[in-house]
Amino acid sequence: MMSDMPPRTRGGYTSTAPRRRPTGSERRRRVQLREVEPVPDRDPVEHPQHDRDETDEVLEGAPGGPIDRCILRSFHKHVAAKIWLGEDRAPLKLVNHGAKLQLWVLDAERSRISETVQRSGLAPLISCSHRVASRPMLSAFCERWQPETTTFHLPFGEMTITLDDVASILHIPITGSMISFSQPLRVDDANALLVELLGTTDVEASRETGATSVGVVYLELFRDLSMVGRYAWGAACLAFLYRQLTTATRFEVRQLGGYLTLLQAWIYEHFPEMFSSPDLSYIESRPRALRWRLHVIPDSLQSVRERLDRLQSSDVCWEPYVDHRVEHPFPDIAWFSGCIKCGLVVEPYHPERVLRQFGYIQTIPPRPFAPPRPERSILLDQYWERWTDHVLTDQSRGRRCQYSGSGESVAEYMAWYDRISHRILQPPHLRSGFTTDARSSLPSHTASTSDSRNARALTLLRRVISGGRQQSGDYFWGALNEAHSILVGSDETSASHSTPSPAPASHSTPSPATRPFFSPPTFVYPPPASVDPPPASYDPPPLIVPPPPASVAPPAPAADPSAPAPDSTTCTAVYVRSKRKKKT
């Protein structure tokens, strides 16, 4: 029996219209759409770098935001985007345990523990960990961090913490095996691991796994203490710090973790005139983290933001470890281009984006790559073990800078960087002391030969001023000589384009080419100006003496010109008698 009910569709709804079978062309069109439709990646670990929304619109308020979002795709979620639109965030809470680490003393009674720590390569962290950290300074640099490139975006270009920085600042190993875990531990497995390795009770283990923020899975690395020295602790430390900076770029995050001594010392090394105070007793055989005096900067977060907005390339010390190379040569693994990891934390490492920190001219880098998912960690370990096959080639590095530490870039770099980056953090009307007739605050970053020479001279002078007691007189005069030669060469270059004017031979300065490099500079002073003698018939004008007032005693009578002049003995006796009368 046929029912009078209307036909039911596939979704369960009824329709009075008769059902029509799709034609062949419609079926083919549906198949094509299903093939083109992208399948979203399901990453079990939250990772901000995987935000790849192609439909993001350009952020309003440009030129504050990037004009081209091909690089910074998740910028609409960045704290810098909120600050540009007028919202603000207080300084971050810093999770720093440097003071606790310095209280840990390894004396003779703990010789077994001391030997294990020395064998792991982590012993320098006990002495070089900073007790205090500057909240405004670290918070302001965190606002400059971009997760897609894992670099700080400053007004003149990108900078980042490299493996060379880790090795020089901390003196911990950056080569060896990657720190890898198969999967996170369950609560029961974590409690059993604590009982096995630390000898705690089940109650203490349960309390520890429920309160601590440190993953218990890291105890797997210390199951065999004889193998603790084979890990690349420095690379793991850098990857974890990258992830903490990435997490703190979200506006709703209120704290910053990671090994903050590395971040703070890196800022001190590359921006010495802005934030740091060197310790003159430092010697180069020690970690560079000990080179700086620790003090809390009284600046506010707003003042540090404005100082960074005015920052120029010449304010940066691009190669701060030149003197340190004698004790610790440059590690070739710092040229590695790929991913670094710390367990389940995987972060990209891009030395090609910060070539100026290696002494090379910065070119337009290729697009950054998103890190693979943590479950592919075995491939990453194999990639890292063959790191010599994945370093930047000489062609990728390009040309070295004309002057060491000058921070040069190709002509088209700044135009590209201005299009894809966020150069300044705040618009002018949100800054302190803003007036309606204020000019644009974007500094000029047009590189020239004179700018490069000035930057090189400033680098030499900074090195001499902030150097320790170990520098010799030859080094001191040599650095001053080189800085003087660079500045004189800059003046001669600029003068060659104008009409030359002959200078007197007596006022000429010796040429830098003829002056010895390691010798004090010789200063040639001009001759004193000549004074014409007075004429023979010179008569002085008459001296007019006003009459003394009534209350003043009359002057003594003039001496007789025919009387003999008093000798020196008489004058001395009179002077002594007058002094005695005054004392009585």
Side-chain angles (χ1 to χ4, degrees):
M1 179 185 300
M2 297 294 296
S3 174
D4 296 335
M5 295 292 295
R8 186 179 297 271
T9 60
R10 177 177 299 181
Y13 301 99
T14 58
S15 174
T16 56
R19 182 177 180 182
R20 182 176 61 87
R21 300 184 62 181
T23 62
S25 59
E26 290 178 350
R27 285 194 297 267
R28 287 191 298 270
R29 190 180 300 112
R30 291 179 183 178
V31 172
Q32 292 176 0
L33 290 177
R34 283 195 294 268
E35 291 177 353
V36 175
E37 182 181 1
V39 179
D41 292 337
R42 299 295 182 184
D43 194 348
V45 180
E46 182 181 358
H47 204 299
Q49 281 96 325
H50 291 164
D51 297 335
R52 293 291 185 263
D53 190 359
E54 300 290 347
T55 62
D56 288 343
E57 298 179 359
V58 177
L59 182 69
E60 295 181 2
I67 301 175
D68 188 353
R69 293 280 287 276
C70 64
I71 303 296
L72 307 183
R73 296 181 179 274
S74 64
F75 186 76
H76 61 289
K77 303 178 182 178
H78 201 281
V79 62
K82 305 293 184 180
I83 294 175
W84 181 267
L85 297 179
E87 302 183 43
D88 199 3
R89 186 177 71 173
L92 297 171
K93 175 186 176 182
L94 304 180
V95 183
N96 183 33
H97 302 288
K100 296 180 180 179
L101 190 58
Q102 291 187 349
L103 296 176
W104 191 35
V105 180
L106 296 178
D107 49 15
E109 298 179 357
R110 302 177 177 88
S111 58
R112 182 171 175 269
I113 300 177
S114 178
E115 293 175 358
T116 304
V117 174
Q118 293 289 344
R119 190 165 56 250
S120 68
L122 300 176
L125 301 182
I126 301 176
S127 59
C128 70
S129 295
H130 291 179
R131 296 178 291 102
V132 294
S134 173
R135 292 180 62 191
M137 181 181 67
L138 300 188
S139 300
F141 271 88
C142 182
E143 295 168 352
R144 296 279 183 172
W145 182 263
Q146 295 297 338
E148 286 84 358
T149 59
T150 58
T151 57
F152 298 101
H153 282 227
L154 299 166
F156 49 82
E158 300 178 48
M159 296 184 68
T160 194
I161 308 173
T162 64
L163 291 172
D164 179 34
D165 293 315
V166 178
S168 300
I169 293 175
L170 304 180
H171 284 191
I172 60 177
I174 59 175
T175 57
S177 301
M178 278 286 188
I179 296 179
S180 303
F181 307 124
S182 57
Q183 59 183 1
L185 290 178
R186 296 181 300 177
V187 177
D188 296 340
D189 297 336
N191 294 339
L193 188 61
L194 287 175
V195 173
E196 177 187 356
L197 298 182
L198 300 183
T200 62
T201 62
D202 294 336
V203 177
E204 293 175 345
S206 301
R207 187 185 307 115
E208 184 70 18
T209 54
T212 183
S213 58
V214 180
V216 184
V217 69
Y218 289 99
L219 289 177
E220 287 280 1
L221 303 174
F222 302 97
R223 185 182 292 274
D224 186 1
L225 294 179
S226 62
M227 303 296 291
V228 293
R230 66 184 182 92
Y231 296 112
W233 296 108
C237 172
L238 186 59
F240 192 80
L241 181 60
Y242 279 4
R243 175 60 62 85
Q244 293 297 314
L245 287 169
T246 295
T247 304
T249 58
R250 297 300 180 248
F251 184 76
E252 62 276 5
V253 178
R254 294 294 183 266
Q255 70 178 14
L256 175 63
Y259 191 57
L260 300 182
T261 297
L262 174 60
L263 176 58
Q264 183 165 262
W266 179 85
I267 297 174
Y268 288 166
E269 291 287 350
H270 290 84
F271 307 92
E273 293 184 352
M274 294 184 62
F275 305 104
S276 55
S277 177
D279 185 0
L280 299 182
S281 62
Y282 169 78
I283 56 176
E284 293 294 343
S285 60
R286 308 178 70 186
R288 295 283 287 199
L290 299 172
R291 184 173 178 247
W292 307 103
R293 296 177 180 175
L294 301 181
H295 60 279
V296 179
I297 300 177
D299 295 340
S300 62
L301 176 58
Q302 177 64 22
S303 64
V304 180
R305 288 172 179 170
E306 296 180 6
R307 292 167 70 182
L308 292 181
D309 279 344
R310 297 190 299 266
L311 200 64
Q312 299 189 23
S313 177
S314 58
D315 299 327
V316 180
C317 183
W318 291 101
E319 299 178 66
Y321 312 121
V322 176
D323 301 335
H324 202 61
R325 300 301 184 201
V326 178
E327 298 287 341
H328 295 272
F330 176 81
D332 293 334
I333 198 173
W335 287 115
F336 170 77
S337 180
C339 288
I340 53 179
K341 57 180 294 188
C342 178
L344 300 177
V345 175
V346 180
E347 293 291 330
Y349 177 75
H350 298 292
E352 63 274 7
R353 308 191 71 88
V354 291
L355 292 175
R356 287 179 287 189
Q357 294 181 222
F358 298 96
Y360 285 79
I361 299 176
Q362 183 62 55
T363 57
I364 297 179
R367 285 196 177 191
F369 51 87
R373 291 185 293 271
E375 52 264 25
R376 302 181 61 188
S377 59
I378 298 179
L379 298 178
L380 293 178
D381 294 345
Q382 297 175 356
Y383 199 83
W384 173 261
E385 291 174 359
R386 299 192 299 268
W387 64 266
T388 54
D389 300 333
H390 305 288
V391 296
L392 292 184
T393 61
D394 295 339
Q395 183 179 1
S396 301
R397 302 175 193 179
R399 297 181 292 110
R400 296 194 66 91
C401 295
Q402 183 178 4
Y403 299 100
S404 177
S406 59
E408 302 175 46
S409 59
V410 295
E412 61 274 11
Y413 174 77
M414 284 310 303
W416 167 84
Y417 180 71
D418 189 42
R419 190 176 69 255
I420 61 97
S421 181
H422 187 77
R423 289 178 57 184
I424 58 175
L425 191 69
Q426 290 180 312
H429 69 275
L430 294 180
R431 301 177 189 173
S432 57
F434 172 76
T435 57
T436 56
D437 57 346
R439 299 179 181 271
S440 175
S441 61
L442 277 175
S444 174
H445 299 281
T446 304
S448 61
T449 305
S450 60
D451 294 339
S452 302
R453 289 174 172 172
N454 292 340
R456 171 58 178 162
L458 286 174
T459 301
L460 289 170
L461 295 179
R462 289 193 195 104
R463 194 180 306 158
V464 171
I465 293 173
S466 62
R469 298 178 180 177
Q470 77 281 359
Q471 58 182 4
S472 61
D474 291 342
Y475 173 81
F476 177 81
W477 289 114
L480 292 183
N481 242 339
E482 187 175 353
H484 178 265
S485 302
I486 292 174
L487 294 177
V488 171
S490 176
D491 295 339
E492 292 176 353
T493 304
S494 60
S496 62
H497 296 282
S498 59
T499 305
S501 57
S506 58
H507 294 266
S508 61
T509 305
S511 173
T514 60
R515 182 181 300 163
F517 184 77
F518 289 105
S519 63
T522 304
F523 299 98
V524 180
Y525 294 94
S530 59
V531 180
D532 297 333
S537 59
Y538 177 75
D539 294 331
L543 181 63
I544 302 176
V545 181
S551 60
V552 180
D560 187 4
S562 61
D567 56 358
S568 60
T569 305
T570 305
C571 294
T572 303
V574 173
Y575 175 78
V576 171
R577 285 197 298 272
S578 63
K579 297 292 286 184
R580 289 176 180 175
K581 290 180 180 180
K582 290 181 179 179
K583 291 181 179 180
T584 57

